[in-house]
Amino acid sequence: MSTKNTERQGELSKENKVAEPVKEQEQYKAYKFDIKDIDWDSLSRLGLSKEKLQEMDLLDSLLKGYKTKDLVAINLDLGSAVFSLDARLSLEKSEHGKVVMALEGVKKYPNLNVPLYGHDFSKEDKHNLLKTGNMGRVVELTHPTTKEKIPSVVSVDRLTNNLIVTRVERMQLPKQVKGIVLSQEQLQTLKDGKPLLVEGMTSAKGSLFNAEIQYNAAKGHIEFLFDNTNKQSQNQGQTQNQKQSYSQLSDDFKTFRGKELDQKQQADLLAGKLVLVKDIIDKKGNAYEGFVRFKKEFNEVKFYFRSPDKVEQSNVQSQAEKQSEQSQKSKGPKI
């Protein structure tokens, strides 16, 4: 082989080596955060890597400025202690302009007994937040630094039970929902944080249905409140509307993250049972599996990498073992 050919192959090899990073940077170029600004070495100590987030189909949403749609297992080994938790992730810029990963841990219940930016929750506020996840009205919250009064809506993040706030001026509301064009009066109702009953919407199957919709600050968009619609339909004797609402709900259970569910899985999911879904494909073409369950009280389908029933059973067993050990110690020799 000639020297010129060898040199040319070396140049091509160098070109191929730099092509992949350039392609990756171009892929995320239009996003809110730049992938090269993330300190992956520091995140590796939390058990996080670019490859793991890509495999879980979470990296895109993070770089776009959104929170992860699922909880992520965080493991921190300090040598003398190991710390682990499930958290919702998001990227943000620090005071010095550095891109950092924010970890939002899970709470057992939303904390409604302390003021939120100067707002004391009323009984009705607490009732609405625990029932629908939305407070149902606009309140003026006090900015902690500028002391500015900011009209805002408040919702509960159903993954973490943390309270999420959105300024009214930043609410993004659709002008049309399922074939129905919303009037200015209807849009104002949503902007006031209130639920809105919309009639005559068209489901994916082409059937008509009625449902209440409301803006959810944690999701950043409106959501359907089927439970409220069904109760209102029962009170009014409109059983047909109730069936149509559930028909629309079942339409949403045909697929999960692009994976088509069979009839049994759809029926089990609609019944609130835990369903194992295999061969879900992420954006890189890798297959993974996990458990899903429809939480009727939250009107959400939740995803788990591990069976929550087994995790809960394991926690109960662990607690029982600890109590047994403490009991045995208390039965030791008395002084």
PDB file of all heavy atoms in Angstrom, residues 163-188:
ATOM      1  N   LEU A 163     -45.417  20.731  45.329  1.00  0.00           N
ATOM      2  CA  LEU A 163     -46.303  21.749  44.787  1.00  0.00           C
ATOM      3  C   LEU A 163     -45.595  22.509  43.662  1.00  0.00           C
ATOM      4  O   LEU A 163     -44.447  22.938  43.822  1.00  0.00           O
ATOM      5  CB  LEU A 163     -46.733  22.716  45.884  1.00  0.00           C
ATOM      6  CG  LEU A 163     -47.574  22.091  47.004  1.00  0.00           C
ATOM      7  CD1 LEU A 163     -47.801  23.109  48.120  1.00  0.00           C
ATOM      8  CD2 LEU A 163     -48.906  21.592  46.474  1.00  0.00           C
ATOM      9  N   ILE A 164     -46.285  22.662  42.531  1.00  0.00           N
ATOM     10  CA  ILE A 164     -45.715  23.328  41.365  1.00  0.00           C
ATOM     11  C   ILE A 164     -46.530  24.577  41.053  1.00  0.00           C
ATOM     12  O   ILE A 164     -47.764  24.550  41.097  1.00  0.00           O
ATOM     13  CB  ILE A 164     -45.703  22.396  40.138  1.00  0.00           C
ATOM     14  CG1 ILE A 164     -45.010  21.079  40.494  1.00  0.00           C
ATOM     15  CG2 ILE A 164     -45.021  23.068  38.961  1.00  0.00           C
ATOM     16  CD1 ILE A 164     -43.560  21.220  40.923  1.00  0.00           C
ATOM     17  N   VAL A 165     -45.841  25.654  40.741  1.00  0.00           N
ATOM     18  CA  VAL A 165     -46.474  26.949  40.483  1.00  0.00           C
ATOM     19  C   VAL A 165     -46.223  27.390  39.047  1.00  0.00           C
ATOM     20  O   VAL A 165     -45.119  27.218  38.525  1.00  0.00           O
ATOM     21  CB  VAL A 165     -45.916  28.019  41.451  1.00  0.00           C
ATOM     22  CG1 VAL A 165     -46.461  29.393  41.108  1.00  0.00           C
ATOM     23  CG2 VAL A 165     -46.243  27.659  42.890  1.00  0.00           C
ATOM     24  N   THR A 166     -47.259  27.943  38.402  1.00  0.00           N
ATOM     25  CA  THR A 166     -47.114  28.554  37.082  1.00  0.00           C
ATOM     26  C   THR A 166     -47.738  29.942  37.098  1.00  0.00           C
ATOM     27  O   THR A 166     -48.867  30.107  37.561  1.00  0.00           O
ATOM     28  CB  THR A 166     -47.796  27.710  35.986  1.00  0.00           C
ATOM     29  OG1 THR A 166     -47.146  26.441  35.896  1.00  0.00           O
ATOM     30  CG2 THR A 166     -47.704  28.408  34.625  1.00  0.00           C
ATOM     31  N   ARG A 167     -47.005  30.913  36.609  1.00  0.00           N
ATOM     32  CA  ARG A 167     -47.562  32.264  36.498  1.00  0.00           C
ATOM     33  C   ARG A 167     -48.699  32.250  35.478  1.00  0.00           C
ATOM     34  O   ARG A 167     -48.614  31.589  34.449  1.00  0.00           O
ATOM     35  CB  ARG A 167     -46.494  33.247  36.035  1.00  0.00           C
ATOM     36  CG  ARG A 167     -45.337  33.421  37.000  1.00  0.00           C
ATOM     37  CD  ARG A 167     -44.409  34.501  36.491  1.00  0.00           C
ATOM     38  NE  ARG A 167     -43.269  34.700  37.384  1.00  0.00           N
ATOM     39  CZ  ARG A 167     -42.583  35.837  37.467  1.00  0.00           C
ATOM     40  NH1 ARG A 167     -42.938  36.865  36.702  1.00  0.00           N
ATOM     41  NH2 ARG A 167     -41.561  35.951  38.276  1.00  0.00           N
ATOM     42  N   VAL A 168     -49.733  33.018  35.746  1.00  0.00           N
ATOM     43  CA  VAL A 168     -50.869  33.092  34.833  1.00  0.00           C
ATOM     44  C   VAL A 168     -50.426  33.564  33.457  1.00  0.00           C
ATOM     45  O   VAL A 168     -50.881  33.058  32.425  1.00  0.00           O
ATOM     46  CB  VAL A 168     -51.958  34.036  35.402  1.00  0.00           C
ATOM     47  CG1 VAL A 168     -53.027  34.319  34.358  1.00  0.00           C
ATOM     48  CG2 VAL A 168     -52.578  33.431  36.649  1.00  0.00           C
ATOM     49  N   GLU A 169     -49.494  34.500  33.416  1.00  0.00           N
ATOM     50  CA  GLU A 169     -49.038  35.053  32.140  1.00  0.00           C
ATOM     51  C   GLU A 169     -48.289  34.030  31.294  1.00  0.00           C
ATOM     52  O   GLU A 169     -48.141  34.215  30.082  1.00  0.00           O
ATOM     53  CB  GLU A 169     -48.137  36.272  32.387  1.00  0.00           C
ATOM     54  CG  GLU A 169     -46.875  35.931  33.162  1.00  0.00           C
ATOM     55  CD  GLU A 169     -46.050  37.162  33.539  1.00  0.00           C
ATOM     56  OE1 GLU A 169     -46.675  38.231  33.737  1.00  0.00           O
ATOM     57  OE2 GLU A 169     -44.819  37.044  33.622  1.00  0.00           O
ATOM     58  N   ARG A 170     -47.840  32.932  31.927  1.00  0.00           N
ATOM     59  CA  ARG A 170     -47.085  31.911  31.197  1.00  0.00           C
ATOM     60  C   ARG A 170     -47.913  30.661  30.890  1.00  0.00           C
ATOM     61  O   ARG A 170     -47.391  29.683  30.354  1.00  0.00           O
ATOM     62  CB  ARG A 170     -45.836  31.510  31.989  1.00  0.00           C
ATOM     63  CG  ARG A 170     -44.837  32.651  32.145  1.00  0.00           C
ATOM     64  CD  ARG A 170     -43.624  32.227  32.951  1.00  0.00           C
ATOM     65  NE  ARG A 170     -42.693  33.334  33.122  1.00  0.00           N
ATOM     66  CZ  ARG A 170     -41.594  33.271  33.881  1.00  0.00           C
ATOM     67  NH1 ARG A 170     -41.305  32.156  34.549  1.00  0.00           N
ATOM     68  NH2 ARG A 170     -40.789  34.323  33.993  1.00  0.00           N
ATOM     69  N   MET A 171     -49.177  30.694  31.252  1.00  0.00           N
ATOM     70  CA  MET A 171     -50.049  29.546  30.966  1.00  0.00           C
ATOM     71  C   MET A 171     -50.259  29.426  29.455  1.00  0.00           C
ATOM     72  O   MET A 171     -50.595  30.399  28.780  1.00  0.00           O
ATOM     73  CB  MET A 171     -51.398  29.710  31.664  1.00  0.00           C
ATOM     74  CG  MET A 171     -51.327  29.620  33.172  1.00  0.00           C
ATOM     75  SD  MET A 171     -52.905  30.064  33.983  1.00  0.00           S
ATOM     76  CE  MET A 171     -53.952  28.729  33.405  1.00  0.00           C
ATOM     77  N   GLN A 172     -50.060  28.222  28.932  1.00  0.00           N
ATOM     78  CA  GLN A 172     -50.286  27.967  27.515  1.00  0.00           C
ATOM     79  C   GLN A 172     -51.581  27.176  27.361  1.00  0.00           C
ATOM     80  O   GLN A 172     -51.667  26.022  27.788  1.00  0.00           O
ATOM     81  CB  GLN A 172     -49.105  27.192  26.914  1.00  0.00           C
ATOM     82  CG  GLN A 172     -47.812  27.984  26.931  1.00  0.00           C
ATOM     83  CD  GLN A 172     -46.663  27.257  26.262  1.00  0.00           C
ATOM     84  OE1 GLN A 172     -46.801  26.113  25.815  1.00  0.00           O
ATOM     85  NE2 GLN A 172     -45.510  27.901  26.187  1.00  0.00           N
ATOM     86  N   LEU A 173     -52.575  27.819  26.768  1.00  0.00           N
ATOM     87  CA  LEU A 173     -53.892  27.208  26.633  1.00  0.00           C
ATOM     88  C   LEU A 173     -54.220  26.962  25.162  1.00  0.00           C
ATOM     89  O   LEU A 173     -53.966  27.822  24.313  1.00  0.00           O
ATOM     90  CB  LEU A 173     -54.958  28.124  27.254  1.00  0.00           C
ATOM     91  CG  LEU A 173     -54.789  28.441  28.744  1.00  0.00           C
ATOM     92  CD1 LEU A 173     -55.824  29.474  29.176  1.00  0.00           C
ATOM     93  CD2 LEU A 173     -54.906  27.180  29.582  1.00  0.00           C
ATOM     94  N   PRO A 174     -54.788  25.812  24.841  1.00  0.00           N
ATOM     95  CA  PRO A 174     -55.145  25.511  23.454  1.00  0.00           C
ATOM     96  C   PRO A 174     -56.422  26.244  23.057  1.00  0.00           C
ATOM     97  O   PRO A 174     -57.309  26.470  23.878  1.00  0.00           O
ATOM     98  CB  PRO A 174     -55.368  24.001  23.479  1.00  0.00           C
ATOM     99  CG  PRO A 174     -55.852  23.733  24.867  1.00  0.00           C
ATOM    100  CD  PRO A 174     -55.118  24.706  25.753  1.00  0.00           C
ATOM    101  N   LYS A 175     -56.514  26.613  21.800  1.00  0.00           N
ATOM    102  CA  LYS A 175     -57.719  27.265  21.311  1.00  0.00           C
ATOM    103  C   LYS A 175     -58.763  26.244  20.869  1.00  0.00           C
ATOM    104  O   LYS A 175     -59.931  26.577  20.694  1.00  0.00           O
ATOM    105  CB  LYS A 175     -57.378  28.202  20.143  1.00  0.00           C
ATOM    106  CG  LYS A 175     -56.496  29.376  20.553  1.00  0.00           C
ATOM    107  CD  LYS A 175     -56.246  30.299  19.387  1.00  0.00           C
ATOM    108  CE  LYS A 175     -55.380  31.486  19.812  1.00  0.00           C
ATOM    109  NZ  LYS A 175     -55.108  32.417  18.684  1.00  0.00           N
ATOM    110  N   GLN A 176     -58.305  24.996  20.724  1.00  0.00           N
ATOM    111  CA  GLN A 176     -59.211  23.937  20.273  1.00  0.00           C
ATOM    112  C   GLN A 176     -58.896  22.645  21.019  1.00  0.00           C
ATOM    113  O   GLN A 176     -57.725  22.295  21.204  1.00  0.00           O
ATOM    114  CB  GLN A 176     -59.062  23.731  18.761  1.00  0.00           C
ATOM    115  CG  GLN A 176     -59.993  22.676  18.180  1.00  0.00           C
ATOM    116  CD  GLN A 176     -59.895  22.621  16.657  1.00  0.00           C
ATOM    117  OE1 GLN A 176     -59.760  23.654  16.007  1.00  0.00           O
ATOM    118  NE2 GLN A 176     -59.934  21.437  16.094  1.00  0.00           N
ATOM    119  N   VAL A 177     -59.931  21.933  21.459  1.00  0.00           N
ATOM    120  CA  VAL A 177     -59.756  20.679  22.188  1.00  0.00           C
ATOM    121  C   VAL A 177     -60.668  19.615  21.581  1.00  0.00           C
ATOM    122  O   VAL A 177     -61.898  19.770  21.595  1.00  0.00           O
ATOM    123  CB  VAL A 177     -60.081  20.836  23.686  1.00  0.00           C
ATOM    124  CG1 VAL A 177     -59.875  19.523  24.422  1.00  0.00           C
ATOM    125  CG2 VAL A 177     -59.223  21.927  24.306  1.00  0.00           C
ATOM    126  N   LYS A 178     -60.066  18.565  21.041  1.00  0.00           N
ATOM    127  CA  LYS A 178     -60.822  17.433  20.488  1.00  0.00           C
ATOM    128  C   LYS A 178     -61.941  17.890  19.549  1.00  0.00           C
ATOM    129  O   LYS A 178     -63.081  17.439  19.640  1.00  0.00           O
ATOM    130  CB  LYS A 178     -61.407  16.583  21.623  1.00  0.00           C
ATOM    131  CG  LYS A 178     -60.375  15.913  22.514  1.00  0.00           C
ATOM    132  CD  LYS A 178     -59.633  14.822  21.792  1.00  0.00           C
ATOM    133  CE  LYS A 178     -58.675  14.091  22.724  1.00  0.00           C
ATOM    134  NZ  LYS A 178     -57.938  13.017  22.031  1.00  0.00           N
ATOM    135  N   GLY A 179     -61.612  18.827  18.656  1.00  0.00           N
ATOM    136  CA  GLY A 179     -62.577  19.268  17.660  1.00  0.00           C
ATOM    137  C   GLY A 179     -63.473  20.420  18.086  1.00  0.00           C
ATOM    138  O   GLY A 179     -64.253  20.919  17.274  1.00  0.00           O
ATOM    139  N   ILE A 180     -63.379  20.862  19.331  1.00  0.00           N
ATOM    140  CA  ILE A 180     -64.214  21.956  19.824  1.00  0.00           C
ATOM    141  C   ILE A 180     -63.361  23.223  19.957  1.00  0.00           C
ATOM    142  O   ILE A 180     -62.357  23.229  20.673  1.00  0.00           O
ATOM    143  CB  ILE A 180     -64.858  21.619  21.185  1.00  0.00           C
ATOM    144  CG1 ILE A 180     -65.778  20.407  21.048  1.00  0.00           C
ATOM    145  CG2 ILE A 180     -65.628  22.812  21.720  1.00  0.00           C
ATOM    146  CD1 ILE A 180     -66.949  20.620  20.099  1.00  0.00           C
ATOM    147  N   VAL A 181     -63.770  24.291  19.280  1.00  0.00           N
ATOM    148  CA  VAL A 181     -63.086  25.581  19.388  1.00  0.00           C
ATOM    149  C   VAL A 181     -63.579  26.288  20.650  1.00  0.00           C
ATOM    150  O   VAL A 181     -64.782  26.466  20.844  1.00  0.00           O
ATOM    151  CB  VAL A 181     -63.355  26.458  18.150  1.00  0.00           C
ATOM    152  CG1 VAL A 181     -62.678  27.821  18.311  1.00  0.00           C
ATOM    153  CG2 VAL A 181     -62.855  25.765  16.888  1.00  0.00           C
ATOM    154  N   LEU A 182     -62.644  26.648  21.512  1.00  0.00           N
ATOM    155  CA  LEU A 182     -63.001  27.276  22.782  1.00  0.00           C
ATOM    156  C   LEU A 182     -63.241  28.773  22.598  1.00  0.00           C
ATOM    157  O   LEU A 182     -62.481  29.455  21.904  1.00  0.00           O
ATOM    158  CB  LEU A 182     -61.888  27.058  23.814  1.00  0.00           C
ATOM    159  CG  LEU A 182     -61.536  25.600  24.140  1.00  0.00           C
ATOM    160  CD1 LEU A 182     -60.397  25.544  25.151  1.00  0.00           C
ATOM    161  CD2 LEU A 182     -62.745  24.846  24.664  1.00  0.00           C
ATOM    162  N   SER A 183     -64.290  29.265  23.245  1.00  0.00           N
ATOM    163  CA  SER A 183     -64.608  30.691  23.195  1.00  0.00           C
ATOM    164  C   SER A 183     -63.691  31.457  24.143  1.00  0.00           C
ATOM    165  O   SER A 183     -63.002  30.872  24.992  1.00  0.00           O
ATOM    166  CB  SER A 183     -66.066  30.918  23.585  1.00  0.00           C
ATOM    167  OG  SER A 183     -66.267  30.565  24.956  1.00  0.00           O
ATOM    168  N   GLN A 184     -63.689  32.779  24.018  1.00  0.00           N
ATOM    169  CA  GLN A 184     -62.884  33.607  24.910  1.00  0.00           C
ATOM    170  C   GLN A 184     -63.337  33.445  26.357  1.00  0.00           C
ATOM    171  O   GLN A 184     -62.523  33.461  27.280  1.00  0.00           O
ATOM    172  CB  GLN A 184     -62.988  35.082  24.487  1.00  0.00           C
ATOM    173  CG  GLN A 184     -62.262  35.411  23.189  1.00  0.00           C
ATOM    174  CD  GLN A 184     -60.773  35.119  23.266  1.00  0.00           C
ATOM    175  OE1 GLN A 184     -60.119  35.403  24.281  1.00  0.00           O
ATOM    176  NE2 GLN A 184     -60.222  34.566  22.194  1.00  0.00           N
ATOM    177  N   GLU A 185     -64.624  33.259  26.549  1.00  0.00           N
ATOM    178  CA  GLU A 185     -65.164  33.058  27.896  1.00  0.00           C
ATOM    179  C   GLU A 185     -64.658  31.742  28.488  1.00  0.00           C
ATOM    180  O   GLU A 185     -64.290  31.673  29.670  1.00  0.00           O
ATOM    181  CB  GLU A 185     -66.686  33.063  27.848  1.00  0.00           C
ATOM    182  CG  GLU A 185     -67.341  32.948  29.223  1.00  0.00           C
ATOM    183  CD  GLU A 185     -68.852  32.956  29.159  1.00  0.00           C
ATOM    184  OE1 GLU A 185     -69.405  33.155  28.053  1.00  0.00           O
ATOM    185  OE2 GLU A 185     -69.480  32.757  30.219  1.00  0.00           O
ATOM    186  N   GLN A 186     -64.626  30.680  27.658  1.00  0.00           N
ATOM    187  CA  GLN A 186     -64.131  29.386  28.116  1.00  0.00           C
ATOM    188  C   GLN A 186     -62.634  29.451  28.418  1.00  0.00           C
ATOM    189  O   GLN A 186     -62.161  28.879  29.412  1.00  0.00           O
ATOM    190  CB  GLN A 186     -64.427  28.310  27.072  1.00  0.00           C
ATOM    191  CG  GLN A 186     -65.892  27.944  26.948  1.00  0.00           C
ATOM    192  CD  GLN A 186     -66.154  26.974  25.809  1.00  0.00           C
ATOM    193  OE1 GLN A 186     -65.675  27.172  24.682  1.00  0.00           O
ATOM    194  NE2 GLN A 186     -66.915  25.926  26.085  1.00  0.00           N
ATOM    195  N   LEU A 187     -61.890  30.149  27.552  1.00  0.00           N
ATOM    196  CA  LEU A 187     -60.450  30.303  27.780  1.00  0.00           C
ATOM    197  C   LEU A 187     -60.175  31.067  29.070  1.00  0.00           C
ATOM    198  O   LEU A 187     -59.230  30.763  29.798  1.00  0.00           O
ATOM    199  CB  LEU A 187     -59.801  31.010  26.591  1.00  0.00           C
ATOM    200  CG  LEU A 187     -59.679  30.196  25.298  1.00  0.00           C
ATOM    201  CD1 LEU A 187     -59.201  31.080  24.149  1.00  0.00           C
ATOM    202  CD2 LEU A 187     -58.721  29.025  25.492  1.00  0.00           C
ATOM    203  N   GLN A 188     -61.016  32.053  29.367  1.00  0.00           N
ATOM    204  CA  GLN A 188     -60.841  32.827  30.596  1.00  0.00           C
ATOM    205  C   GLN A 188     -61.107  31.964  31.818  1.00  0.00           C
ATOM    206  O   GLN A 188     -60.436  32.095  32.854  1.00  0.00           O
ATOM    207  CB  GLN A 188     -61.777  34.039  30.594  1.00  0.00           C
ATOM    208  CG  GLN A 188     -61.558  34.993  31.762  1.00  0.00           C
ATOM    209  CD  GLN A 188     -60.147  35.554  31.802  1.00  0.00           C
ATOM    210  OE1 GLN A 188     -59.640  36.048  30.804  1.00  0.00           O
ATOM    211  NE2 GLN A 188     -59.503  35.453  32.960  1.00  0.00           N
TER     212      GLN A 188
END
